[in-house]
Amino acid sequence: GAVVSQHPSWVICKSGTSVKIECRSLDFQATTMFWYRQFPKQSLMLMATSNEGSKATYEQGVEKDKFLINHASLTLSTLTVTSAHPEDSSFYICSASVQSHRGKVGYTFGSGTRLTVV
Amino acid sequence: GQSLEQPSEVTAVEGAIVQINCTYQTSGFYGLSWYQQHDGGAPTFLSYNALDGLEETGRFSSFLSRSDSYGYLLLQELQMKDSASYFCAVRDRGYGQNFVFGPGTRLSVLP
C-alpha cells in the first residue's frame, strides 16, 4: 500500500530556532501533500496544502512566513517551523490522498512529528 | 463552511458492538471517511463511503445516508486494542481533495 515516511518522529528545540520536518512518499507520487497540526486531545487541523512545483496554499490564520512549505519533487514535501516558540509545540502530521483501483479515496498519513519548543 | 459532529466519548466492554455516529454539514459532499488514531500515533484509514449504504471490512463497517447527512462507524467484537480516537472526515467539493475532520470520539474498551 501507499506509504508516507515522515521524520523526525520527535524533536526538541530551543525557542527561536528553526525545525525542518520531511515527508516522503515511498511507493507512489504525491502531487499534493497536506500538512496538519494536532494539539493534545483535539482533532486534526489543516495548516496548508502543498502542491509539487508551486506555492503552498495556507489555511486562514496560518502564518506562511512562519511555516515554510516546500514541495520540490513528487516524492518530497518539507515543513519548516521558523523561529519556533513554545506555543508551536504540537504534533505535526503530513498526508497524501490515495485512490484505489475501486475508486475509493482516502488519506495515507505520515507517522507524525512531535515538536517540543523549550 | 463545513461542520461535523461526533460524540466526544464512548465506552463499551470487550466483545460488544459499538456505533459511533457522525453528522455533517457541507456545501458540496463527495464522501465520508473514518480514521482511527491511537494515543501518540498518526491516524490510520478505516473506510470511505461515497454512496449510501453499508460498507463492511472485517469487524468494522461504515454506513452513509447522504439525504440525512449522517454516517456511522460500527465496530463489532470489540477488543482492547480498539481503544482509540475515531474521526469522521468529510470530503467537500468546495475543499478540493482535502478532508475536513470531525472532533473525534474517544472509545474506551473495558475488560
Side-chain angles (χ1 to χ4, degrees):
Chain A
V3 175
V4 173
S5 174
Q6 180 174 351
H7 68 91
S9 55
W10 61 269
V11 58
I12 301 173
C13 72
K14 290 185 178 180
S15 188
T17 61
S18 296
V19 173
K20 179 186 282 189
I21 302 169
E22 290 190 354
C23 275
R24 294 181 183 272
S25 55
L26 296 187
D27 49 2
F28 69 103
Q29 293 182 332
T31 55
T32 303
M33 197 81 82
F34 304 98
W35 288 94
Y36 289 85
R37 178 168 52 186
Q38 186 179 33
F39 293 105
K41 299 188 186 302
Q42 294 188 22
S43 188
L44 287 77
M45 298 299 296
L46 181 68
M47 299 175 65
T49 302
S50 161
N51 297 295
E52 185 267 336
S54 64
K55 291 184 179 180
T57 303
Y58 289 82
E59 295 300 303
Q60 193 172 8
V62 177
E63 300 174 58
K64 60 180 66 175
D65 293 332
K66 180 172 185 60
F67 298 99
L68 301 180
I69 291 174
N70 184 278
H71 196 155
S73 77
L74 288 171
T75 58
L76 175 63
S77 178
T78 62
L79 168 68
T80 301
V81 182
T82 63
S83 186
H85 291 286
E87 57 265 30
D88 299 324
S89 299
S90 186
F91 192 49
Y92 293 87
I93 314 171
C94 63
S95 70
S97 62
V98 290
Q99 186 163 356
S100 73
H101 65 282
R102 293 170 62 185
K104 292 190 178 294
V105 177
Y107 268 168
T108 184
F109 285 88
S111 53
T113 298
R114 188 160 303 282
L115 170 64
T116 302
V117 185
V118 297
Chain B
Q2 310 87 22
S3 69
L4 295 91
E5 292 188 5
Q6 302 177 237
S8 58
E9 294 183 9
V10 173
T11 302
V13 297
E14 269 188 304
I17 299 173
V18 72
Q19 178 174 313
I20 300 174
N21 298 321
C22 174
T23 58
Y24 59 86
Q25 289 185 329
T26 67
S27 54
F29 178 80
Y30 266 151
L32 182 73
S33 278
W34 286 94
Y35 295 85
Q36 179 192 63
Q37 185 180 31
H38 287 98
D39 288 343
T44 55
F45 172 77
L46 293 178
S47 68
Y48 176 73
N49 294 66
L51 303 175
D52 290 350
L54 188 68
E55 295 268 351
E56 298 182 62
T57 307
R59 294 188 297 115
F60 295 178
S61 303
S62 58
F63 172 82
L64 174 66
S65 170
R66 289 175 298 171
S67 60
D68 296 323
S69 297
Y70 163 75
Y72 65 72
L73 179 69
L74 189 72
L75 298 87
Q76 303 182 71
E77 301 174 20
L78 281 176
Q79 302 175 9
M80 297 292 289
K81 66 178 182 179
D82 298 329
S83 293
S85 291
Y86 292 84
F87 296 91
C88 60
V90 169
R91 188 180 179 208
D92 189 319
R93 184 177 306 139
Y95 226 57
Q97 298 181 57
N98 191 29
F99 284 85
V100 177
F101 284 81
T105 298
R106 177 73 192 181
L107 171 64
S108 298
V109 180
L110 305 178

